Amino acid sequence: KIAYQKTGKPIIVQDSAFYIESLNGFPGPYVKYVNETIGARGILNLMKGIVNRRAYFKMALGYVEKTGVVHIFTNDISLGGGSIANHIAEENSKKSWSEIWKIYIPNWSNGKTLSELSPEEIDTHEKNKDVSSEFYFFARWLKEQQN
């Protein structure tokens, strides 16, 4: 809303959060702060002795239209569900944007963390996943608005 107020133009913002079930959803939207402070090692320390290692990403896209009305589009299954590894994996992917990639094992990755996957493996998954991204929902809504 602030960016819209400053520019007077429609604005699109995309953000993500990371939820660990056994930590009551922590770090959630504070994933950037967690990456900058305790990092992947800190998360693994919090997970010591915890059996339920399920985790997932949530993605959101916010759109402020030219009238100032805000619309939020969410995707609870981006990158699919997964789990927290027991170790910090080596970096293999050039697409990594977070320490989380070193400890997050997507359900579809055959036991590899995101950072152990090749860019081709990630791209293949992205191309083959269900049409359920926040961008898809936004595009569908935008098309409906034009009709």
Side-chain angles (χ1 to χ4, degrees):
K1 283 183 170 181
I2 293 170
Y4 169 77
Q5 290 167 352
K6 288 186 178 197
T7 66
K9 298 186 185 287
I11 300 288
I12 295 176
V13 177
Q14 192 265 346
D15 201 4
S16 60
F18 183 67
Y19 297 84
I20 302 171
E21 285 185 7
S22 60
L23 299 179
N24 295 320
F26 179 80
Y30 306 107
V31 67
K32 180 179 178 183
Y33 178 73
V34 166
N35 275 320
E36 292 172 350
T37 55
I38 66 172
R41 185 156 317 284
I43 291 173
L44 290 184
N45 286 337
L46 291 172
M47 298 292 294
K48 280 185 183 169
I50 294 178
V51 175
N52 175 6
R53 302 184 79 79
R54 287 188 302 245
Y56 56 95
F57 287 92
K58 283 189 178 184
M59 309 295 199
L61 182 141
Y63 173 66
V64 184
E65 58 181 289
K66 62 184 173 187
T67 61
V69 175
V70 177
H71 302 274
I72 306 292
F73 304 89
T74 60
N75 173 15
D76 292 353
I77 58 171
S78 275
L79 299 177
S83 61
I84 302 295
N86 291 310
H87 66 285
I88 295 176
E90 292 298 315
E91 191 92 20
N92 184 30
S93 174
K94 301 296 182 219
K95 288 187 138 196
S96 178
W97 52 263
S98 166
E99 282 255 317
I100 299 298
W101 281 46
K102 296 178 182 180
I103 60 171
Y104 180 68
I105 304 170
N107 289 337
W108 52 266
S109 71
N110 294 320
K112 293 180 181 178
T113 66
L114 283 172
S115 68
E116 293 172 309
L117 295 169
S118 69
E120 294 78 25
E121 289 172 302
I122 293 171
D123 287 344
T124 298
H125 171 72
E126 288 296 307
K127 289 175 187 169
N128 293 329
K129 74 179 185 180
D130 293 334
V131 180
S132 59
S133 80
E134 65 280 15
F135 292 99
Y136 169 78
F137 295 128
F138 170 66
R140 188 174 70 187
W141 172 83
L142 195 58
K143 186 176 181 180
E144 290 170 3
Q145 300 306 303
Q146 294 172 349
N147 293 333

